[in-house]
Amino acid sequence: MDVGGGSEEEEGPGAGLTCLAVGGGVDGQLAMAGGEDGNAYVVHVQGKKVVATLTHFDNTSVTTSGDGAVAQADDDGMEEDEDAEARSVEAVGFCPANIPGTAHWCATGGVDGVLKIWNLNVGGGSAQLRQKCIRDDVKAGITRLRWHNSLPLVLASYTDGCVCIWDVRVGTIVQCLTGHEDMINDIDICFVDGSAASIIVTGGDDRAVKVFEFSPNL
């Protein structure tokens, strides 16, 4: 099954998929793929069709469901700059279904350094941009993201070697983890049984693996 309906002229001959997440939706049948064309595609695995397209880089984020319904969300008129040609979505992820008040949420992260939180309501034929998380005065792209398993938090790693932990309900940074001297290529998180603490592990271009302990205070 192919995703992305853009022509080669629109996307360029090298436009492909960059990242993948699975297990989304009430039935766990949703998958999401980020693309070099600046979009993320939400697919129903069993139905074998694209049910939503999340436009990460447009001034107006337009999301389209499989039945043709369209929802628009204002993107605050993001201006094109010197990074405009690099439009890749580098990280995607579904929010765990057990987090209260976050049903159908998912996230996309791009080379523009913006983390976007989307509210998917595939059954109702709509998808809407809910929140943007942007670091002040920092030009660094997102490389990976991970959702917390029980809180509305997203961990995002960046090309400048930082990890930001975002409260995605309000778009603010809870904590910033530093220590890498180059871009972070991957990140993972494990949760300590019987404790609110979690262990965050990162690996970067500086050939270093860093281990952080994080205890949320929400």
Side-chain angles (χ1 to χ4, degrees):
M1 175 178 59
D2 292 332
V3 298
S7 67
E8 188 171 287
E9 183 180 45
E10 291 171 329
E11 300 177 6
L17 301 179
T18 59
C19 51
L20 184 68
V22 296
V26 176
D27 59 0
Q29 286 289 314
L30 294 183
M32 178 167 47
E36 292 177 339
D37 60 355
N39 296 326
Y41 301 95
V42 182
V43 176
H44 193 275
V45 176
Q46 190 172 6
K48 297 183 179 179
K49 65 177 182 178
V50 176
V51 295
T53 300
L54 311 180
T55 307
H56 184 90
F57 281 86
D58 261 0
N59 290 341
T60 301
S61 295
V62 180
T63 57
T64 308
S65 72
D67 61 7
V70 175
Q72 294 188 350
D74 213 78
D75 202 11
D76 296 340
M78 184 183 297
E79 295 181 1
E80 293 186 2
D81 56 19
E82 62 273 11
D83 298 323
E85 11 179 275
R87 297 169 56 86
S88 179
V89 174
E90 291 294 316
V92 294
F94 291 105
C95 180
N98 61 307
I99 301 178
T102 62
H104 307 293
W105 286 14
C106 67
T108 59
V111 293
D112 56 352
V114 179
L115 174 69
K116 290 189 175 182
I117 307 303
W118 305 84
N119 186 6
L120 291 174
N121 186 8
V122 176
S126 65
Q128 188 176 29
L129 178 63
R130 188 189 185 280
Q131 188 64 256
K132 289 199 309 179
C133 304
I134 305 173
R135 296 168 66 190
D136 294 334
D137 302 322
V138 176
K139 286 285 187 182
I142 292 175
T143 59
R144 292 289 186 273
L145 67 83
R146 294 287 185 272
W147 282 89
H148 193 278
N149 72 338
S150 60
L151 295 171
L153 302 177
V154 170
L155 290 72
S157 60
Y158 292 82
T159 54
D160 64 352
C162 290
V163 173
C164 290
I165 303 172
W166 294 91
D167 182 340
V168 296
R169 298 169 301 180
V170 291
T172 58
I173 293 177
V174 173
Q175 191 171 340
C176 189
L177 309 176
T178 60
H180 280 283
E181 297 178 357
D182 209 333
M183 71 180 289
I184 296 173
N185 293 318
D186 210 350
I187 180 173
D188 213 342
I189 180 170
C190 61
F191 300 93
V192 182
D193 289 340
S195 170
S198 56
I199 304 299
I200 299 167
V201 183
T202 58
D205 269 0
D206 55 1
R207 300 173 59 88
V209 172
K210 302 287 185 182
V211 180
F212 305 91
E213 183 174 337
F214 171 64
S215 296
N217 185 22
L218 294 183

